[in-house]
Amino acid sequence: MQTCNNKSNHYVQYYDEFSQAMRFRFACKKFDENKKIPCDVLYSILESGRLSPSSFGLEPTRMIVVKTKSMREKIKQACWNQDQISQASEVIVFSSLKADMLPNTNYILGKFSRRLKTSDEIKHYAKERYGNRKLEALGYISDIEKLGLWSAHQAYIMATTVMNHAAFLGIDSCMIEGFDKSQIESSLDMDTFKEQVSLVLCLGYRNMPQSNRLRMSLDEIVKFV
């Protein structure tokens, strides 16, 4: 593999700090129920999620922080009774917009109006650049479920940012994709035409040894062309 030999000391320093956080992170299956994330730290992590990127800057992802014991129990049942849900300091349900992501909605026009000036520019961009080149070309515009699937992909960007920030602060995480989607949506009283559950994320402090890190080598996954 071709290598880069012009790394600065500044780059190496920050690379090493972040790399250590990535090696710290693993899918924690058992959390310490007695250790809680301080509120200011949690808000800092959530803020990182807010600042994460999204396609076209449309911000289709929402974070629902499950605080009540009764709702936590409902989410746990929908997640096939995985213990992380009750043990973790925080449980975040990531939801994704669906119908509002169509190109002619007030939501989309409002998002594009933050960068474009005139009404004609906004409508043209929404119809041509976003509607035709993106949604129509990929078959999303005629299938609200496929549109929701694309929107759900954005939630993983936000969740990854949240997990990485948490790891940098020494906080463990476990992303959960195994759940009864309709059961969680019903528990949260969601209008499933407008939005859907994409994934669940637990945050807290480990109460188990870290599992072995199994990863391919850099040579196997990186190619310079």
Side-chain angles (χ1 to χ4, degrees), residues 87-103:
Q87 295 170 347
S89 173
E90 307 298 334
V91 173
I92 306 171
V93 177
F94 289 79
S95 67
S96 305
L97 298 181
K98 293 171 65 177
D100 276 339
M101 299 301 287
L102 291 168

Side-chain angles (χ1 to χ4, degrees), residues 11-53:
Y11 170 84
V12 171
Q13 175 189 351
Y14 284 97
Y15 171 82
D16 285 347
E17 290 177 6
F18 191 77
S19 180
Q20 288 173 15
M22 294 301 93
R23 288 182 171 85
F24 167 86
R25 193 213 64 77
F26 77 115
C28 183
K29 303 298 184 182
K30 188 175 181 181
F31 291 91
D32 188 337
E33 299 180 50
N34 298 313
K35 295 184 70 174
K36 303 300 180 184
I37 300 172
C39 285
D40 57 340
V41 175
L42 174 62
Y43 274 93
S44 176
I45 294 171
L46 295 175
E47 175 70 358
S48 289
R50 185 185 74 85
L51 295 173
S52 63

